[in-house]
Amino acid sequence: MLSKLLDPESVAVAGASPKQGSVGYVILENLVNRFGKKVFPINPKYDEVELWGRVIKFYKSISEVPDPVDVVVIATPAPTVPKVLEEAGIKGVKAAVIVSSGFSEAGNTELENWVKAVAKQYGVRVLGPNCIGVYNAYSGFDTVFLPAERAGRPPPGPLALISQSGAVAAAIMDWAARRRLGLGFLVNYGNKADITETELLEGFAADDRVKVITIYIEGFKYPGEARQFLETAKKIAAKKPVVAYKAGRGGAAQRAVKSHTAAMAGSYEMYHGLFQQAGVIEASSVREMFDMAKALAMQPTPRGRRTLVLTDSGGMGIQAVDALEALGLEVPEIPESVAKELKRELLPFAAVTNPVDVTGSTTDEHYKIVLDALLPTPLFDMALVVTLMQVPGLTKNLADYLIDAKKYGKPIVVVNFGGSELVQRFEEVLEDNGIPVYPTPDRAAKALWALYKYGEIRKRL
Amino acid sequence: MTHPIVSRALSESRGKLREDEALTLLRAYGIPVPDFALVKNEEEAVKVAEAIGFPVVAKVVSPQIVHKTDVGGVVVGINDAQGVREACRRLREVVKRVPYAELEGVLIQKMVPKGVELIVGAVYDEIFGHVVAFGLGGIYTELYKDISMRVVPVDVEDVWEMVREVKAYRLLTGFRGMPPRDIPAVVDIVYKFSRLIEDNPEISEADLNPVIALEEGKGAYVVDARFILRISY
């Protein structure tokens, strides 16, 4: 069922509108122009309207639509939603995305219960209400009512986001589009009248296009929900990385001090504990969540925690060591004999300890020499490579050497900082070839930590 | 399966276990507690103390007194029969000073040597179900809010993680000349306690406070325990 919701063949839009600026207009525009499959606008006020250079036929109700409909997007005023949902149910629609607001979030729990009852009676699964719904970069199925010029749509890619907040989801979508981050799927579930994050997690677990699942969560809502999430996430995390960010930690720690039922209800420590048990990798911010997710989608997991730091900047190397060690990763020394060999091939003033500092006088080849000498050995499990491209000896060939080093089967992340076109192009080539790039050493270190952590989770689950 | 101690308390509509019941329940799950007995009078107290071996602790047991230490309801470091008698008299005075309090008895307990004080707890949360908590005692829980939690049921590895997770964990591994503590014994207590909670879902809240972690190889002991039940379960 969830595959129908995330990947429908046909969609009806109840509340579709030819009036620019309305929610029903934006949803229709996005679907008509980018969803390659069937779209049926529903609005009794219109018959045929010319929009975007073509004649669009409107239907009076869902029952008038001649073809089968997989999903109905409902963007009609809240009081009309139960009726629209009922018509969809009679028509045999399998899932509804209720974009409309004015339900439990506005104190109208009665109306939401009515929606739940209708959904149950007709076996229609409901996402929302009060949500932005689904964005599928592969098919262009997009119920997000924000205009594309305000909220960019990211390209297809291996990440999926499940978000409790619609606004946060939309902002992430826009941000990801700008960074060419492959956020292939995004779902916001709003009031969670029916479909929960647990079920969405299962949906993405079953989809081979999704390599890493990210979750933005503020809090569970229903009794017993946490346990259900735990059991499901545990199964999924054994196969696919799940990264979560729990927002709203403040004050919870205080409440956690005393073992007192009411005070402790849903405290942050409980979420943290649950994520640990489930093998969910926890992020401390949205940015960190995607930093880690990106690495998890592109790179293998390391066997251990021993990290090679290779840099052309002493300062960046030191920062990297600080960040790695603070996360419990190791930066072991290079044995004397190995260092001696290596020194012969590098510049006389290069530092062959760990970090290996090839210095600002480096060339692309020096990086290659170090990677080829050290990565295949059992001395290291992964590498953090700083490539400050501002030095004159580096060219875009360096990207080829780094990509080539993937053959050693060990995680490689790159720190690249700057703004020139060369720097940007270099980053794009690396990321397009599966090497994640970060602007600062601490972010790259955290990405390596996530890979290490996922390796540990895999061993355990 | 609910333990008879819990069932009995519920059938008597008691929302709380007596201290001797709490310790007996822990013992039933293989959780180490210092030797103890509930006594009714001074002579019995002396006999029990001599059997257990000095030093002992005497604690007032009264359903109306929740925070024993606050009212002077705990006498520590008792080294002989005379001390036991004096403690019993003192505890009787304590009970007289608390309005409506009745003395149910005196708990004589073997005194545990000094060690690192820990807190192990459990709580029922509507959304999470039963959750176990672990932290170091004193300022670490109160000031630093340094506590880890897991959803029941947990496995042994979960418990290792939660014990290692608190920042004050270093106090258990040995820090600044302080000896390392018996961490496996601590893990064992938390694990067995989580099993106890799993088997007895009528428990809405529980505190083992303090749990004393002795030096490596010498074990860990639950000195004081409090169990609150959900009567309407």
Side-chain angles (χ1 to χ4, degrees):
Chain A
M1 195 297 306
L2 273 196
S3 64
K4 277 264 188 288
L5 171 74
L6 299 171
D7 229 349
E9 288 299 318
S10 59
V11 55
V13 183
S17 166
K19 280 189 196 153
Q20 268 202 42
S22 69
V23 166
Y25 175 86
V26 178
I27 294 172
L28 187 64
E29 182 185 30
N30 287 335
L31 288 171
V32 165
N33 293 322
R34 286 202 304 278
F35 180 51
K37 295 163 186 176
K38 286 179 193 153
V39 181
F40 304 103
I42 317 285
N43 192 330
K45 280 192 243 165
Y46 305 98
D47 189 18
E48 283 186 343
V49 184
E50 205 185 312
L51 284 167
W52 312 295
R54 71 186 99 164
V55 176
I56 307 270
K57 176 170 170 45
F58 279 70
Y59 296 85
K60 304 274 175 240
S61 76
I62 298 174
S63 50
E64 265 192 22
V65 175
D67 297 18
V69 172
D70 283 344
V71 174
V72 58
V73 184
I74 304 177
T76 61
T80 66
V81 170
K83 186 169 183 303
V84 174
L85 190 63
E86 183 171 37
E87 285 169 3
I90 292 165
K91 166 88 182 157
V93 175
K94 292 284 167 282
V97 176
I98 304 177
V99 172
S100 322
S101 54
F103 295 86
S104 65
E105 87 286 358
N108 202 343
T109 311
E110 285 313 306
L111 189 60
E112 194 162 305
N113 287 340
W114 188 10
V115 166
K116 279 189 206 178
V118 174
K120 202 168 171 197
Q121 189 183 341
Y122 293 96
V124 183
R125 299 305 311 275
V126 165
L127 186 69
N130 185 34
C131 70
I132 64 168
V134 180
Y135 169 70
N136 173 341
Y138 292 93
S139 70
F141 176 58
D142 180 350
T143 72
V144 178
F145 56 82
L146 305 164
E149 66 272 16
R150 283 171 188 255
R153 302 313 202 250
L159 310 185
L161 169 69
I162 299 167
S163 174
Q164 188 159 14
S165 160
V168 168
I172 289 172
M173 191 169 77
D174 190 24
W175 171 84
R178 179 71 187 273
R179 280 159 190 77
R180 307 193 324 141
L181 186 70
L183 186 58
F185 291 94
L186 177 150
V187 182
N188 158 243
Y189 50 84
N191 294 2
K192 198 159 62 170
D194 179 21
I195 296 170
T196 63
E197 50 275 84
T198 302
E199 221 175 321
L200 291 165
L201 198 59
E202 282 177 313
F204 286 133
D207 194 317
D208 288 337
R209 290 168 294 185
V210 176
K211 300 273 176 273
V212 180
I213 305 167
T214 62
I215 305 174
Y216 170 88
I217 186 169
E218 281 160 19
F220 294 115
K221 195 171 166 184
Y222 300 116
E225 230 189 338
R227 173 71 65 77
Q228 221 180 352
F229 178 87
L230 170 61
E231 279 158 15
T232 304
K234 209 169 179 172
K235 273 185 238 139
I236 292 166
K239 300 190 198 92
K240 225 177 243 194
V242 180
V243 188
Y245 169 52
K246 156 80 174 82
R249 304 178 180 190
Q254 278 176 330
R255 294 198 296 268
V257 173
K258 293 266 172 197
S259 306
H260 186 262
T261 314
M264 277 219 315
S267 77
Y268 167 67
E269 284 73 12
M270 290 185 191
Y271 287 90
H272 172 76
L274 179 108
F275 292 151
Q276 290 288 324
Q277 278 171 288
V280 169
I281 298 170
E282 200 187 344
S284 59
S285 69
V286 165
R287 192 190 71 186
E288 193 178 281
M289 180 161 79
F290 286 101
D291 278 354
M292 299 198 289
K294 190 165 82 169
L296 288 161
M298 292 180 184
Q299 291 282 313
T301 51
R303 264 194 226 171
R305 61 179 87 197
R306 294 163 307 166
T307 312
L308 167 68
V309 178
L310 170 55
T311 179
D312 58 347
S313 148
M316 282 290 202
I318 293 164
Q319 291 177 48
V321 174
D322 273 348
L324 289 163
E325 287 186 340
L327 293 165
L329 300 176
E330 284 168 24
V331 187
E333 285 233 45
I334 295 167
E336 193 64 39
S337 56
V338 180
K340 230 176 182 174
E341 284 290 307
L342 205 49
K343 237 181 149 93
R344 238 176 271 156
E345 297 185 68
L346 298 175
L347 295 166
F349 40 89
V352 188
T353 50
N354 191 14
V356 178
D357 183 0
V358 289
T359 79
S361 308
T362 188
T363 64
D364 303 328
E365 276 66 31
H366 292 146
Y367 276 87
K368 181 175 165 54
I369 289 163
V370 177
L371 290 171
D372 287 344
L374 296 178
L375 265 196
T377 70
L379 294 169
F380 295 102
D381 305 309
M382 52 189 167
L384 187 158
V385 183
V386 179
T387 60
L388 290 190
M389 296 295 285
Q390 289 78 13
V391 305
L394 294 184
T395 74
K396 60 180 174 39
N397 287 339
L398 178 56
D400 298 332
Y401 293 148
L402 288 164
I403 293 159
D404 182 54
K406 278 171 69 181
K407 68 185 175 200
Y408 302 121
K410 293 178 179 176
I412 302 169
V413 299
V414 165
V415 175
N416 191 42
F417 195 67
S420 69
E421 215 150 284
L422 172 72
V423 165
Q424 271 179 36
R425 182 74 201 110
F426 178 73
E427 278 182 23
E428 280 175 20
V429 171
L430 286 177
E431 293 217 327
D432 289 348
N433 287 282
I435 295 188
V437 183
Y438 302 92
T440 58
D442 59 310
R443 289 173 65 177
K446 194 74 196 221
L448 283 179
W449 174 84
L451 291 167
Y452 169 72
K453 172 91 179 170
Y454 188 60
E456 297 295 297
I457 288 168
R458 262 252 166 91
K459 274 183 219 161
R460 198 192 132 177
L461 291 182
Chain B
M1 246 255 300
T2 305
H3 192 275
I5 287 179
V6 175
S7 317
R8 190 186 338 124
L10 286 171
S11 72
E12 293 168 8
S13 297
R14 281 188 286 135
K16 189 173 176 277
L17 296 187
R18 274 196 327 266
E19 182 154 1
D20 60 307
E21 290 176 321
L23 295 171
T24 307
L25 178 62
L26 292 175
R27 203 180 251 169
Y29 276 83
I31 297 170
V33 295
D35 284 347
F36 70 93
L38 185 70
V39 298
K40 297 285 176 201
N41 56 51
E42 275 177 35
E43 286 323 304
E44 216 184 321
V46 170
K47 225 189 279 170
V48 162
E50 279 168 348
I52 288 174
F54 294 102
V56 296
V57 182
K59 294 174 182 175
V60 66
V61 176
S62 163
Q64 291 81 19
I65 298 174
V66 181
H67 298 290
K68 294 184 291 285
T69 2
D70 294 354
V71 294
V74 180
V75 183
V76 300
I78 304 166
N79 284 311
D80 51 27
Q82 184 55 28
V84 174
R85 289 197 181 90
E86 274 167 28
C88 288
R89 265 169 248 152
R90 229 162 90 194
L91 293 180
R92 223 174 296 134
E93 289 304 310
V94 162
V95 176
K96 273 186 203 155
R97 285 202 301 270
V98 179
Y100 310 112
E102 301 162 62
L103 184 64
E104 208 147 11
V106 169
L107 190 91
I108 303 291
Q109 199 176 24
K110 176 98 177 162
M111 195 160 155
V112 178
K114 275 210 170 10
V116 173
E117 294 198 358
L118 311 168
I119 292 176
V120 177
V123 70
Y124 177 80
D125 178 276
E126 208 184 59
I127 295 197
F128 283 76
H130 279 95
V131 174
V132 286
F134 171 82
L136 269 74
I139 58 167
Y140 299 101
T141 41
E142 281 169 32
L143 178 64
Y144 299 119
K145 311 179 191 336
D146 185 20
I147 203 150
S148 64
M149 293 184 182
R150 292 293 184 273
V151 178
V152 176
V154 297
D155 58 38
V156 176
E157 280 185 71
D158 289 323
V159 176
W160 272 103
E161 271 186 3
M162 77 188 284
V163 169
R164 288 194 185 115
E165 194 175 288
V166 295
K167 291 178 200 83
Y169 174 68
R170 290 181 68 192
L171 291 177
L172 292 172
T173 58
F175 182 69
R176 295 250 176 141
M178 283 158 52
R181 303 291 157 173
D182 198 332
I183 300 170
V186 172
V187 169
D188 193 51
I189 288 176
V190 180
Y191 179 64
K192 285 173 173 163
F193 174 69
S194 77
R195 295 262 305 274
L196 184 161
I197 296 298
E198 196 185 337
D199 286 354
N200 297 275
E202 303 87 346
I203 294 167
S204 67
E205 212 183 308
D207 283 306
L208 313 184
N209 181 16
V211 176
I212 309 278
L214 300 178
E215 288 174 32
E216 253 175 327
K218 293 187 176 164
Y221 292 87
V222 179
V223 169
D224 222 325
R226 193 175 63 98
F227 286 91
I228 310 289
L229 310 177
R230 279 187 285 169
I231 293 183
S232 60
Y233 178 76

